[in-house]
Amino acid sequence: METDPTVLDMQKKYGSRALMLAIGAGLLFLALGQKEICRGLVLGGVFSAVNFALMGQALRYRLSDNRKAATRRSLFSLLLRYALLAIPLVLAVRSDRFNFPATAVGLLMVQLVIMIEHGSRLIFAAVKH
C-alpha cells in the first residue's frame, strides 16, 4: 500500500532535485568556461530551493480558523518570499560575477524540475499504451 507523500517529502524531493540540476548545469557551464553562468544558475537554484521550503513551511500556518489572521500570515509569507527571491536578482544586476538570465533561470529550478517530472510521466504513459 502506497501512502501519499507529505509536504516535507515533496520539499526534499523537489528541492534536492532542483539543487542537483542547478549544480549539474552549473558544472557543465563551468567546464565550458562560463563561470558567470555557473554562478548564476547555482545562486538562483539555492534560492529557489529555499523559497520552496519556506512555502511548504508557511502552508500549515495558512490553515487557521481565524480568516483575518490567516490572510495576514499569507500576505506576510508572500512578501517575505518575494524579498528572498529579489536577493539573487539584485546581486546579479549589481555584480559582474553573476549572469542575470542564468540567475533568473536558476530561480525557476524547482518549477522546471516539477514540469520535467510530470512531462516525462505523460510521455512514458503515452508510450506504454
Side-chain angles (χ1 to χ4, degrees):
M1 183 167 79
E2 191 174 313
T3 61
D4 290 336
T6 64
V7 172
L8 185 59
D9 292 337
M10 291 178 61
Q11 286 176 313
K12 287 179 183 178
K13 176 182 170 181
Y14 292 126
S16 62
R17 288 181 182 178
L19 285 174
M20 287 190 308
L21 179 61
I23 292 170
L27 288 174
L28 176 67
F29 280 104
L30 184 62
L32 295 172
Q34 301 292 324
K35 292 180 185 179
E36 296 81 13
I37 294 176
C38 170
R39 289 184 194 120
L41 283 172
V42 173
L43 177 68
V46 167
F47 275 83
S48 178
V50 170
N51 178 52
F52 190 64
L54 285 175
M55 185 172 45
Q57 293 301 315
L59 184 63
R60 66 176 145 200
Y61 297 116
R62 291 184 188 168
L63 305 173
S64 174
D65 294 335
N66 185 347
R67 185 175 176 185
K68 283 186 178 183
T71 302
R72 256 192 323 272
R73 281 191 215 114
S74 293
L75 181 60
F76 176 74
S77 171
L78 187 65
L79 293 174
L80 175 69
R81 291 188 308 108
Y82 280 163
L84 181 73
L85 292 175
I87 293 170
L89 293 174
V90 170
L91 279 172
V93 166
R94 293 187 175 216
S95 174
D96 292 337
R97 295 178 51 90
F98 302 100
N99 180 279
F100 183 81
T103 304
V105 169
L107 286 174
L108 298 172
M109 277 298 163
V110 171
Q111 291 88 338
L112 288 172
V113 166
I114 292 170
M115 286 180 14
I116 289 168
E117 179 181 314
H118 289 286
S120 64
R121 280 187 193 167
L122 289 173
I123 291 170
F124 289 122
V127 171
K128 282 185 179 179
H129 291 101

